[in-house]
Amino acid sequence: MTLPTFWFIVIAFLWVGYLFLEGFDLGVGMLMKLFARSERDRRVLLNTIGPVWDGNEVWLITAGAMTFAAFPMWYASLFSALYIPLTLVLLGLIFRAVSIEYRGKHDSDSWRNRWDWAMALGSFVSAFGVGAALALTSTGLPLNENGDRVGGAFAWLTPWAVLGGLAVVGFALVHACAFLMLKTDGEIRARARRALVRWLPVGILPLAAWAVGVQFLSGDLMSLIPLAVAVVAVAVAWLMASRGKEALAFGSLAAFLLFGAVSIFAAMYPVVLPSTLDAAWNLTVDNASSGPYTLKVITWVSVFGLPIVLLYQGWTYWVFRKRISADSIPAVHRITAQ
């Protein structure tokens, strides 16, 4: 295996990790307005992601940084073409972070409601923007021979971008329901299971359509195999959720994401960013990668760095593994400055 191919696999792994961890994180943010019925419900939802949400976002930063280091042409062409959606993603993440920290700073229903909307809309915009970017890197942008985008500021706004955005939003919502089944107890847990059983087929439909569409564009037998596994996995997820087997439902939904993403990246390879103008201008793992010395250096860094990150984040989830219920949430109390 060549180093450019190795780094294509690493970056695919980082994006799958981000969608898996930040997926339920963003979904919980959107459910603050779609699912929670009371202030106590919203506080339960926030406490499920409170210890981990900022660590989950590190995967996005790492995926972008590794793309820059290993495939600078891929990074430059994709990110420069997507200034508008990526700026919106950044703003959405900022609003999410601020809302988590600020909603409890003042005892006022209107104050909390404004920050809840910031959380929900910021989560939606972030999920949609990331999905649009990933869909475009698998289906193409109007790039010329220099890798520069042709067209206006909204040349990226294609049906594929919309489908990818809806795919990540839909997956995040059902993934959050599966996460809440595992992480909460009581009435919220029961409602999350009912919501997952009811909405799972609808939520994963855009992601399934995206994966199937990429197969029609550039897939082969080897990329169809993981897609078939993904179909089986999501069927198992729905069956397990309907039977109340929460861990198996969550794991099967994770398997659906993993194998669905593998099918997309396998269908793309060796192209990392197709040109919709001329296939001769496609960016590939060979013509978009850094030099051999750079790839060797970052490979050694990743060999030592990535396992440490995985162990640390795994330990974090283990420490905060206990379920949360409404009874775990103390009553709101006002603090008077002395």
Side-chain angles (χ1 to χ4, degrees):
M1 180 189 299
T2 64
L3 282 179
T5 298
F6 169 78
W7 273 100
F8 177 79
I9 295 172
V10 170
I11 290 170
F13 167 76
L14 291 172
W15 279 116
V16 173
Y18 173 74
L19 292 176
F20 173 69
L21 295 173
E22 186 79 342
F24 65 73
D25 193 335
L26 295 171
V28 168
M30 288 183 274
L31 291 178
M32 290 285 286
K33 281 300 181 184
L34 296 174
F35 180 83
R37 295 175 178 174
S38 66
E39 170 60 15
R40 182 150 292 198
D41 283 359
R42 285 184 278 274
R43 292 178 66 193
V44 170
L45 264 60
L46 276 179
N47 275 272
T48 63
I49 62 172
V52 297
W53 68 269
D54 48 354
N56 294 343
E57 291 184 356
V58 171
W59 286 76
L60 176 63
I61 298 170
T62 305
M66 291 297 98
T67 303
F68 171 76
F71 298 99
M73 283 293 293
W74 181 10
Y75 177 93
S77 296
L78 181 66
F79 280 59
S80 63
L82 301 179
Y83 276 135
I84 292 176
L86 292 180
T87 298
L88 293 175
V89 167
L90 180 60
L91 291 172
L93 293 174
I94 291 172
F95 273 101
R96 287 184 74 246
V98 174
S99 68
I100 291 172
E101 300 295 337
Y102 272 52
R103 76 178 303 276
K105 299 300 184 185
H106 181 56
D107 186 17
S108 164
D109 290 339
S110 61
W111 170 270
R112 286 188 289 265
N113 184 57
R114 286 194 292 269
W115 288 117
D116 289 342
W117 275 111
M119 177 74 164
L121 293 177
S123 299
F124 172 81
V125 170
S126 299
F128 190 92
V130 168
L134 291 176
L136 290 171
T137 201
S138 64
T139 58
L141 284 165
L143 304 178
N144 62 20
E145 66 274 18
N146 297 319
D148 298 325
R149 183 205 67 215
V150 175
F154 291 94
W156 60 272
L157 190 56
T158 66
W160 285 113
V162 175
L163 179 63
L166 293 176
V168 174
V169 168
F171 176 78
L173 288 170
V174 296
H175 194 36
C177 290
F179 175 72
L180 292 175
M181 286 168 51
L182 283 179
K183 198 60 183 143
T184 64
D185 210 349
E187 197 261 341
I188 292 179
R189 177 183 178 184
R191 281 199 287 126
R193 185 178 71 83
R194 292 194 298 269
L196 180 62
V197 172
R198 180 177 183 180
W199 296 109
L200 177 60
V202 177
I204 59 92
L205 191 59
L207 182 53
W210 171 16
V212 171
V214 172
Q215 300 307 310
F216 278 107
L217 291 177
S218 55
D220 55 22
L221 179 60
M222 293 304 295
S223 62
L224 280 174
I225 294 174
L227 182 60
V229 176
V231 172
V232 174
V234 78
V236 172
W238 184 87
L239 182 63
M240 293 299 101
S242 64
R243 293 183 176 180
K245 299 183 181 298
E246 298 162 347
L248 290 175
F250 184 80
S252 299
L253 196 58
F256 164 73
L257 172 67
L258 172 63
F259 286 100
V262 167
S263 73
I264 291 172
F265 281 103
M268 290 171 54
Y269 182 83
V271 176
V272 296
L273 183 57
S275 170
T276 57
L277 302 179
D278 191 330
W281 299 336
N282 289 347
L283 298 181
T284 68
V285 294
D286 294 318
N287 65 24
S289 66
S290 296
Y293 179 77
T294 300
L295 293 178
K296 288 179 182 178
V297 170
I298 62 175
T299 298
W300 280 109
V301 171
S302 69
V303 165
F304 291 99
L306 281 178
I308 293 174
V309 171
L310 292 173
L311 287 172
Y312 175 77
Q313 193 158 26
W315 175 79
T316 302
Y317 276 91
W318 176 255
V319 169
F320 295 102
R321 66 189 182 278
K322 296 294 182 65
R323 290 182 181 271
I324 299 171
S325 68
D327 295 334
S328 308
I329 305 300
V332 174
H333 58 281
R334 192 186 298 263
I335 297 176
T336 304
Q338 298 298 325

